[in-house]
């Protein structure tokens, strides 16, 4: 996370956010896949990183479109990761 802790560059944060979300989706799909303990732990770590990035983005600036996207992705990720 250190690479994002010290940045105020919203484009860097957006790229990192997208990469984290893609990794969560990669692990959580296919939908009938039951995650191992290690995969669940990794998803939890990624969700924590994602939360941190989102907080940083909101601190710096988030557009209305980004807020809407965050809400939609949050709902999708929540549905994918609940057991």
């Amino acid at each position: 996370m250190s690479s994002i802790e010290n940045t105020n560059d919203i484009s860097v944060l957006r790229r990192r956010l997208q990469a984290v979300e893609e990794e969560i989706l990669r692990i959580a799909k296919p939908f009938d896949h039951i995650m191992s303990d290690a995969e669940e732990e990794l998803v939890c770590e990624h969700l924590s990183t994602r939360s941190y990035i989102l907080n940083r983005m909101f601190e710096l600036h988030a557009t209305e479109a980004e807020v809407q996207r965050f809400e939609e992705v949050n709902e999708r990720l929540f549905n994918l990761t609940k057991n």
Side-chain angles (χ1 to χ4, degrees):
M1 244 191 290
S2 62
S3 63
I4 56 175
E5 288 175 350
N6 298 320
T7 187
N8 290 330
D9 187 338
I10 200 83
S11 63
V12 170
L13 294 171
R14 278 191 195 110
R15 284 192 303 273
R16 182 68 175 117
L17 178 65
Q18 184 176 5
V20 169
E21 291 171 348
E22 287 172 359
E23 183 62 12
I24 293 168
L25 291 173
R26 184 192 67 74
I27 295 168
K29 286 185 177 179
F31 297 111
D32 60 351
H33 169 72
I34 297 174
M35 290 187 286
S36 68
D37 289 344
E39 288 172 321
E40 284 186 31
E41 186 175 323
L42 187 55
V43 166
C44 286
E45 289 175 20
H46 288 319
L47 288 172
S48 177
T49 299
R50 182 178 181 274
S51 177
Y52 179 83
I53 294 169
L54 289 173
N55 287 335
R56 287 285 295 137
M57 291 177 78
F58 279 112
E59 287 172 10
L60 297 172
H61 173 70
T63 67
E64 195 62 38
E66 288 171 325
V67 170
Q68 182 178 353
R69 179 183 172 279
F70 296 156
E71 290 172 352
E72 291 168 1
V73 173
N74 279 346
E75 184 67 27
R76 251 180 61 216
L77 291 174
F78 176 74
N79 289 332
L80 280 173
T81 58
K82 65 182 175 182
N83 293 334

